[in-house]
Amino acid sequence: MTKPVKRLYSFEFKLNAVQRYMGGEDRIVLAKELELSSPHLITVWAGQYRAQGEEGLRPKPKGRPRKSFEASVKPEPELERLRRENERLRAEVAFLGKVNALRDGEQR
């Protein structure tokens, strides 16, 4: 058994089909003539055309849109950055003090 292949239709192909359908042609006859998998495709395209005009029939980019790196990284105020760095350094000093105290305790 073969897997059905999803066909992609060009903007011009869809626009032609929708214009003929809206001109009065039967969608079932039109689907057979254009070798579409289902007459429902013409109905969907016609709905997109009515809602968004020709832009609704244009191909959309696949997947999730990319985030721009600059938009996701907000500049941090220098005072906040310095406070965080100071806090990290204090924690380091405290940790090293405890390590030294443990080492001194073992040597006795």
Side-chain angles (χ1 to χ4, degrees):
M1 188 156 66
T2 61
K3 183 178 178 183
V5 178
K6 184 176 180 181
R7 288 182 53 191
L8 298 176
Y9 301 98
S10 70
F11 165 73
E12 293 80 15
F13 182 86
K14 293 178 188 180
L15 185 61
N16 178 38
V18 168
Q19 287 174 341
R20 289 175 61 184
Y21 173 64
M22 295 177 96
E25 290 189 46
D26 183 48
R27 69 184 176 109
I28 297 172
V29 173
L30 195 56
K32 284 182 184 177
E33 180 184 327
L34 297 174
E35 299 178 0
L36 297 176
S37 59
S38 168
H40 181 67
L41 282 174
I42 296 175
T43 309
V44 170
W45 294 341
Q48 291 171 338
Y49 182 78
R50 285 186 196 107
Q52 303 169 12
E54 289 185 2
E55 286 302 311
L57 298 178
R58 293 201 186 276
K60 312 292 186 289
K62 298 288 181 195
R64 183 179 285 178
R66 288 185 163 198
K67 260 187 175 175
S68 67
F69 183 72
E70 294 81 28
S72 63
V73 177
K74 296 178 183 169
E76 185 178 12
E78 187 175 4
L79 183 60
E80 274 302 308
R81 184 184 61 78
L82 291 172
R83 283 184 177 153
R84 283 189 321 106
E85 184 179 357
N86 192 14
E87 186 178 327
R88 183 184 58 80
L89 290 172
R90 284 178 196 240
E92 270 185 44
V93 167
F95 174 76
L96 291 174
K98 289 181 181 182
V99 168
N100 285 336
L102 287 173
R103 191 179 310 144
D104 290 342
E106 289 176 4
Q107 289 177 357
R108 289 183 187 185

PDB file of all heavy atoms in Angstrom, residues 92-104:
ATOM      1  N   GLU A  92      30.785  33.074  45.824  1.00  0.00           N
ATOM      2  CA  GLU A  92      32.046  32.394  45.550  1.00  0.00           C
ATOM      3  C   GLU A  92      32.995  32.508  46.736  1.00  0.00           C
ATOM      4  O   GLU A  92      33.619  31.523  47.141  1.00  0.00           O
ATOM      5  CB  GLU A  92      32.722  32.996  44.310  1.00  0.00           C
ATOM      6  CG  GLU A  92      32.335  32.346  43.015  1.00  0.00           C
ATOM      7  CD  GLU A  92      33.147  32.910  41.852  1.00  0.00           C
ATOM      8  OE1 GLU A  92      34.375  33.093  41.977  1.00  0.00           O
ATOM      9  OE2 GLU A  92      32.523  33.164  40.816  1.00  0.00           O
ATOM     10  N   VAL A  93      33.111  33.720  47.297  1.00  0.00           N
ATOM     11  CA  VAL A  93      34.009  33.949  48.441  1.00  0.00           C
ATOM     12  C   VAL A  93      33.561  33.109  49.631  1.00  0.00           C
ATOM     13  O   VAL A  93      34.381  32.478  50.309  1.00  0.00           O
ATOM     14  CB  VAL A  93      34.071  35.460  48.791  1.00  0.00           C
ATOM     15  CG1 VAL A  93      34.738  35.678  50.141  1.00  0.00           C
ATOM     16  CG2 VAL A  93      34.788  36.218  47.696  1.00  0.00           C
ATOM     17  N   ALA A  94      32.264  33.061  49.875  1.00  0.00           N
ATOM     18  CA  ALA A  94      31.757  32.270  51.004  1.00  0.00           C
ATOM     19  C   ALA A  94      32.048  30.793  50.796  1.00  0.00           C
ATOM     20  O   ALA A  94      32.472  30.087  51.728  1.00  0.00           O
ATOM     21  CB  ALA A  94      30.253  32.498  51.163  1.00  0.00           C
ATOM     22  N   PHE A  95      31.856  30.301  49.572  1.00  0.00           N
ATOM     23  CA  PHE A  95      32.120  28.898  49.263  1.00  0.00           C
ATOM     24  C   PHE A  95      33.595  28.569  49.466  1.00  0.00           C
ATOM     25  O   PHE A  95      33.946  27.571  50.099  1.00  0.00           O
ATOM     26  CB  PHE A  95      31.684  28.594  47.824  1.00  0.00           C
ATOM     27  CG  PHE A  95      32.050  27.216  47.363  1.00  0.00           C
ATOM     28  CD1 PHE A  95      31.336  26.117  47.787  1.00  0.00           C
ATOM     29  CD2 PHE A  95      33.135  27.013  46.522  1.00  0.00           C
ATOM     30  CE1 PHE A  95      31.670  24.833  47.371  1.00  0.00           C
ATOM     31  CE2 PHE A  95      33.481  25.738  46.100  1.00  0.00           C
ATOM     32  CZ  PHE A  95      32.751  24.648  46.530  1.00  0.00           C
ATOM     33  N   LEU A  96      34.482  29.426  48.931  1.00  0.00           N
ATOM     34  CA  LEU A  96      35.917  29.177  49.063  1.00  0.00           C
ATOM     35  C   LEU A  96      36.359  29.257  50.524  1.00  0.00           C
ATOM     36  O   LEU A  96      37.250  28.516  50.948  1.00  0.00           O
ATOM     37  CB  LEU A  96      36.706  30.164  48.204  1.00  0.00           C
ATOM     38  CG  LEU A  96      36.549  29.963  46.689  1.00  0.00           C
ATOM     39  CD1 LEU A  96      37.238  31.077  45.932  1.00  0.00           C
ATOM     40  CD2 LEU A  96      37.077  28.608  46.258  1.00  0.00           C
ATOM     41  N   GLY A  97      35.733  30.129  51.301  1.00  0.00           N
ATOM     42  CA  GLY A  97      36.039  30.203  52.731  1.00  0.00           C
ATOM     43  C   GLY A  97      35.693  28.900  53.439  1.00  0.00           C
ATOM     44  O   GLY A  97      36.456  28.418  54.283  1.00  0.00           O
ATOM     45  N   LYS A  98      34.555  28.315  53.080  1.00  0.00           N
ATOM     46  CA  LYS A  98      34.158  27.046  53.700  1.00  0.00           C
ATOM     47  C   LYS A  98      35.087  25.918  53.272  1.00  0.00           C
ATOM     48  O   LYS A  98      35.453  25.052  54.079  1.00  0.00           O
ATOM     49  CB  LYS A  98      32.711  26.713  53.341  1.00  0.00           C
ATOM     50  CG  LYS A  98      31.723  27.619  54.031  1.00  0.00           C
ATOM     51  CD  LYS A  98      30.303  27.247  53.674  1.00  0.00           C
ATOM     52  CE  LYS A  98      29.346  28.215  54.368  1.00  0.00           C
ATOM     53  NZ  LYS A  98      27.958  27.887  54.102  1.00  0.00           N
ATOM     54  N   VAL A  99      35.499  25.921  51.995  1.00  0.00           N
ATOM     55  CA  VAL A  99      36.427  24.896  51.511  1.00  0.00           C
ATOM     56  C   VAL A  99      37.742  25.007  52.269  1.00  0.00           C
ATOM     57  O   VAL A  99      38.303  23.999  52.727  1.00  0.00           O
ATOM     58  CB  VAL A  99      36.653  25.033  49.981  1.00  0.00           C
ATOM     59  CG1 VAL A  99      37.827  24.162  49.522  1.00  0.00           C
ATOM     60  CG2 VAL A  99      35.391  24.663  49.228  1.00  0.00           C
ATOM     61  N   ASN A 100      38.250  26.237  52.443  1.00  0.00           N
ATOM     62  CA  ASN A 100      39.503  26.438  53.180  1.00  0.00           C
ATOM     63  C   ASN A 100      39.356  26.005  54.638  1.00  0.00           C
ATOM     64  O   ASN A 100      40.274  25.409  55.215  1.00  0.00           O
ATOM     65  CB  ASN A 100      39.959  27.898  53.112  1.00  0.00           C
ATOM     66  CG  ASN A 100      40.554  28.233  51.747  1.00  0.00           C
ATOM     67  OD1 ASN A 100      41.024  27.350  51.046  1.00  0.00           O
ATOM     68  ND2 ASN A 100      40.538  29.506  51.397  1.00  0.00           N
ATOM     69  N   ALA A 101      38.226  26.294  55.248  1.00  0.00           N
ATOM     70  CA  ALA A 101      38.001  25.897  56.642  1.00  0.00           C
ATOM     71  C   ALA A 101      37.983  24.386  56.770  1.00  0.00           C
ATOM     72  O   ALA A 101      38.546  23.821  57.726  1.00  0.00           O
ATOM     73  CB  ALA A 101      36.685  26.496  57.148  1.00  0.00           C
ATOM     74  N   LEU A 102      37.374  23.690  55.831  1.00  0.00           N
ATOM     75  CA  LEU A 102      37.358  22.225  55.860  1.00  0.00           C
ATOM     76  C   LEU A 102      38.760  21.659  55.663  1.00  0.00           C
ATOM     77  O   LEU A 102      39.156  20.694  56.310  1.00  0.00           O
ATOM     78  CB  LEU A 102      36.417  21.680  54.787  1.00  0.00           C
ATOM     79  CG  LEU A 102      34.921  21.838  55.056  1.00  0.00           C
ATOM     80  CD1 LEU A 102      34.113  21.414  53.827  1.00  0.00           C
ATOM     81  CD2 LEU A 102      34.515  21.001  56.257  1.00  0.00           C
ATOM     82  N   ARG A 103      39.507  22.248  54.764  1.00  0.00           N
ATOM     83  CA  ARG A 103      40.861  21.792  54.492  1.00  0.00           C
ATOM     84  C   ARG A 103      41.749  21.993  55.745  1.00  0.00           C
ATOM     85  O   ARG A 103      42.547  21.117  56.073  1.00  0.00           O
ATOM     86  CB  ARG A 103      41.448  22.550  53.306  1.00  0.00           C
ATOM     87  CG  ARG A 103      42.737  21.917  52.837  1.00  0.00           C
ATOM     88  CD  ARG A 103      43.371  22.595  51.628  1.00  0.00           C
ATOM     89  NE  ARG A 103      42.403  22.786  50.556  1.00  0.00           N
ATOM     90  CZ  ARG A 103      42.397  23.849  49.746  1.00  0.00           C
ATOM     91  NH1 ARG A 103      43.280  24.810  49.906  1.00  0.00           N
ATOM     92  NH2 ARG A 103      41.515  23.957  48.793  1.00  0.00           N
ATOM     93  N   ASP A 104      41.609  23.149  56.394  1.00  0.00           N
ATOM     94  CA  ASP A 104      42.373  23.422  57.592  1.00  0.00           C
ATOM     95  C   ASP A 104      42.022  22.439  58.712  1.00  0.00           C
ATOM     96  O   ASP A 104      42.885  22.020  59.483  1.00  0.00           O
ATOM     97  CB  ASP A 104      42.163  24.858  58.084  1.00  0.00           C
ATOM     98  CG  ASP A 104      42.801  25.883  57.149  1.00  0.00           C
ATOM     99  OD1 ASP A 104      43.675  25.488  56.344  1.00  0.00           O
ATOM    100  OD2 ASP A 104      42.429  27.065  57.240  1.00  0.00           O
TER     101      ASP A 104
END
